[in-house]
């Protein structure tokens, strides 16, 4: 007997409904999206606008000869953590910075290594500058994994991070480096009388002539931290960093500056998935391979106590907390945001990102280019949030 047409139609509709419900149950959960995840909605790069020198007091390159004991240099140094086998990349970075800036001001270079520097390294680096070069060995107790870190737990955590494509998660030395850069480097005796530093890594490029003393600019204009590039971090590498920060703030609300950058740190609109995975932290940070900063901030009670809290929590090893998010969160919470300066006039590249201003003083980079890598890397730019919440000062 033939099945009535209405019954056949009902069966078809039931089948469609069944497969729809099956798909809804087992499909991959929707990924949260924001304007920062859509390349069409990326904002215009302000580096396309003409760029001059910063406003404020500027010291020119008069009487800064390397052998002048009365030169107006202040207590500051160019600082590099580097190994002997990175000599070629270090020489490249030195040549760029000496050509564009330091041959005029002759600030000393201070090199740090957890192993003794070779004579070849010393000879070849000193040959690149008229300024003094200092070669410092990091004490073992400054570098080694602290005693409270459980090695078995570290190995297990490293495997989990590796499965989540977190780079360098299984390299103990990388974790030790992040910890040293975060809260120990400024305790080295060689820096006891230094206040400011300009961090320089191997294989970076500088593109623009800078004709003023950047350290004097920081001092005379009451700046604490200077950056060029502002990025999103890998949330998988710092899942408990913000919760631990919240624990610290709950115990020390007095350290939060009234004019802080909390909105920049907590934003969930631009890249909501990052905020979700990082448990409330936007993951925005200053890319600290370039930083010009006042070490008195790191030496402050607020930062010392914050770093010690994080250090005891173990995230430098059980996760992959880097010095970039740690420094950025601390500056964003404990310092007046007006004391953070975007050095938009300093052309800079650390692969794969650029800061390339529109200035006749610059050559070798494309004005306004943020990356020369894949297009999706443009989503990693967090400067729009900094400019939105804080400004371009």
């Amino acid at each position: 007997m033939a099945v009535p047409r209405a019954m056949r139609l009902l069966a078809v509709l039931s089948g469609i409904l069944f497969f729809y419900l099956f798909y809804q149950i087992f499909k991959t959960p929707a990924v949260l999206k924001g304007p920062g995840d859509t390349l069409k909605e990326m904002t215009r790069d302000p580096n396309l606008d003409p760029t001059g020198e910063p406003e404020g007091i500027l010291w020119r390159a008069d009487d800064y000869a390397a052998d002048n004991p009365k030169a107006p240099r202040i207590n500051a140094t160019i600082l590099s953590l580097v190994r002997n086998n990175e000599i070629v990349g270090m020489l490249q970075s030195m040549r760029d910075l000496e050509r564009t800036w330091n041959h005029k001001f002759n600030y000393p270079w201070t090199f740090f290594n957890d192993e003794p520097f070779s004579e070849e390294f010393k000879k070849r680096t000193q040959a690149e500058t008229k300024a003094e070069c200092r070669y410092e060995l990091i004490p073992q107790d400054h570098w080694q994994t602290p005693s409270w870190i459980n090695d078995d737990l570290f190995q297990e955590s490293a495997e989990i991070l590796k499965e989540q494509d977190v780079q360098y998660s299984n390299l103990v030395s990388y974790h030790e480096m992040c910890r040293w850069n975060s809260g120990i480097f400024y305790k080295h005796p060689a820096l006891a009388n230094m206040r400011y530093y300009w961090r320089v890594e191997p294989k970076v490029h500088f593109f623009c002539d800078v004709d003023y003393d950047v350290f004097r600019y920081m001092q005379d204009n009451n700046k604490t931290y200077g950056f060029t590039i502002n990025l999103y971090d890998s949330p998988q590498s710092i899942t408990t960093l913000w919760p631990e920060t919240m624990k610290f703030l709950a115990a020390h609300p007095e350290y939060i500056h009234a004019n802080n950058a909390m909105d920049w740190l907590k934003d969930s609109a631009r890249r909501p998935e990052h905020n979700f995975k990082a448990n409330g932290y936007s993951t925005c940070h200053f890319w600290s391979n370039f930083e010009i900063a006042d070490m008195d901030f790191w030496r402050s009670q607020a930062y010392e106590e914050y770093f010690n809290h994080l250090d005891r929590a173990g995230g430098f090893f059980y996760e992959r907390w880097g010095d970039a998010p740690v420094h950025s969160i601390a500056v964003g919470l404990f310092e007046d945001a007006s004391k953070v300066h975007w050095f938009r006039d300093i052309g800079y590249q650390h692969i794969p990102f650029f800061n390339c201003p529109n200035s006749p003083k610059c050559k070798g980079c494309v004005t306004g280019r943020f990356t020369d890598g894949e297009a999706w890397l443009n989503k990693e730019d967090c400067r729009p949030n900094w400019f939105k919440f804080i400004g371009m000062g």
Side-chain angles (χ1 to χ4, degrees):
M1 184 175 74
V3 178
R5 182 181 178 191
M7 294 294 291
R8 294 200 305 270
L9 181 60
L10 181 62
V12 170
L13 291 175
S14 297
I16 293 172
L17 179 61
F18 172 79
F19 284 111
Y20 174 77
L21 292 173
F22 182 86
Y23 170 75
Q24 291 296 320
I25 292 171
F26 292 102
K27 74 175 182 177
T28 303
V31 176
L32 296 169
K33 293 288 186 182
D37 291 301
T38 307
L39 290 176
K40 294 179 182 178
E41 298 185 36
M42 297 303 288
T43 54
R44 182 179 184 275
D45 197 316
N47 271 329
L48 292 170
D49 299 327
T51 298
E53 295 178 332
E55 296 180 357
I57 304 168
L58 300 177
W59 284 68
R60 302 299 177 181
D62 300 323
D63 304 320
Y64 273 87
D67 58 356
N68 180 7
K70 295 183 179 181
R73 281 183 291 272
I74 60 175
N75 292 333
T77 187
I78 304 166
L79 187 153
S80 295
L81 174 64
V82 59
R83 296 186 182 278
N84 289 309
N85 61 9
E86 295 177 297
I87 179 64
V88 174
M90 193 70 244
L91 293 177
Q92 171 201 290
S93 301
M94 288 187 74
R95 287 166 187 158
D96 270 16
L97 191 56
E98 286 290 325
R99 172 179 52 80
T100 56
W101 181 71
N102 199 45
H103 79 276
K104 308 162 204 173
F105 297 96
N106 293 295
Y107 274 95
W109 288 80
T110 305
F111 299 100
F112 289 98
N113 194 346
D114 65 323
E115 299 176 352
F117 282 107
S118 67
E119 290 304 313
E120 179 192 9
F121 185 96
K122 295 177 182 179
K123 181 179 179 180
R124 294 180 68 183
T125 49
Q126 184 62 79
E128 296 296 330
T129 178
K130 294 179 180 179
E132 178 187 4
C133 289
R134 302 162 181 172
Y135 305 92
E136 304 296 342
L137 182 65
I138 300 171
Q140 286 193 350
D141 61 330
H142 281 197
W143 187 266
Q144 290 180 337
T145 303
S147 59
W148 56 86
I149 298 301
N150 182 290
D151 186 61
D152 291 336
L153 182 56
F154 168 74
Q155 296 298 338
E156 292 175 12
S157 302
E159 285 303 313
I160 294 172
L161 292 172
K162 187 177 180 181
E163 291 172 3
Q164 296 176 337
D165 296 322
V166 176
Q167 285 185 311
Y168 316 119
S169 60
N170 61 335
L171 295 179
V172 176
S173 61
Y174 191 86
H175 292 264
E176 292 171 332
M177 176 192 70
C178 290
R179 176 176 178 261
W180 184 82
N181 275 325
S182 293
I184 301 177
F185 78 93
Y186 53 88
K187 299 174 183 175
H188 194 287
L191 297 177
N193 297 318
M194 290 291 175
R195 181 172 174 183
Y196 297 94
Y197 68 96
W198 182 338
R199 179 169 160 183
V200 177
E201 292 193 356
K203 296 183 179 180
V204 301
H205 286 289
F206 296 93
F207 302 105
C208 308
D209 289 329
V210 179
D211 298 320
Y212 60 94
D213 183 338
V214 298
F215 295 128
R216 281 275 188 177
Y217 172 79
M218 296 287 287
Q219 175 182 268
D220 295 342
N221 296 279
N222 199 22
K223 301 295 184 181
T224 297
Y225 192 91
F227 73 96
T228 52
I229 296 171
N230 189 324
L231 300 174
Y232 288 91
D233 207 347
S234 163
Q236 297 92 330
S237 68
I238 49 172
T239 53
T240 65
L241 176 57
W242 191 250
E244 285 296 335
T245 299
M246 291 299 98
K247 289 181 187 178
F248 179 79
L249 293 183
H252 297 285
E254 71 275 13
Y255 291 149
I256 304 176
H257 198 283
N259 187 33
N260 59 62
M262 184 72 82
D263 290 340
W264 173 66
L265 293 171
K266 291 182 62 177
D267 177 69
S268 61
R270 189 167 179 80
R271 300 195 72 180
E273 187 182 16
H274 274 57
N275 181 287
F276 177 76
K277 289 182 177 180
N279 294 298
Y281 172 34
S282 66
T283 77
C284 288
H285 64 280
F286 309 117
W287 213 22
S288 58
N289 46 68
F290 175 109
E291 59 183 7
I292 300 175
D294 182 349
M295 283 183 278
D296 282 356
F297 178 80
W298 312 133
R299 294 165 178 147
S300 69
Q301 182 175 338
Y303 186 76
E304 280 288 315
E305 291 186 12
Y306 176 60
F307 172 74
N308 289 336
H309 174 89
L310 297 182
D311 202 19
R312 282 288 176 175
F316 289 110
F317 294 89
Y318 302 143
E319 295 181 17
R320 198 208 64 189
W321 296 353
D323 51 277
V326 170
H327 281 185
S328 300
I329 289 173
V331 170
L333 292 175
F334 309 143
E335 187 53 286
D336 183 338
S338 69
K339 295 185 178 182
V340 179
H341 178 67
W342 176 36
F343 278 103
R344 65 184 299 172
D345 58 316
I346 298 182
Y348 177 72
Q349 180 203 22
H350 183 298
I351 294 173
F353 299 111
F354 290 81
N355 183 70
C356 189
N358 180 0
S359 169
K361 293 187 176 185
C362 303
K363 59 182 179 181
C365 64
V366 178
T367 299
R369 170 183 281 176
F370 178 68
T371 180
D372 58 358
E374 298 292 332
W376 63 266
L377 286 170
N378 286 289
K379 296 187 297 184
E380 303 307 316
D381 185 6
C382 194
R383 289 176 307 160
N385 267 11
W386 182 261
F387 301 151
K388 172 185 176 181
F389 294 119
I390 309 300
M392 296 186 188

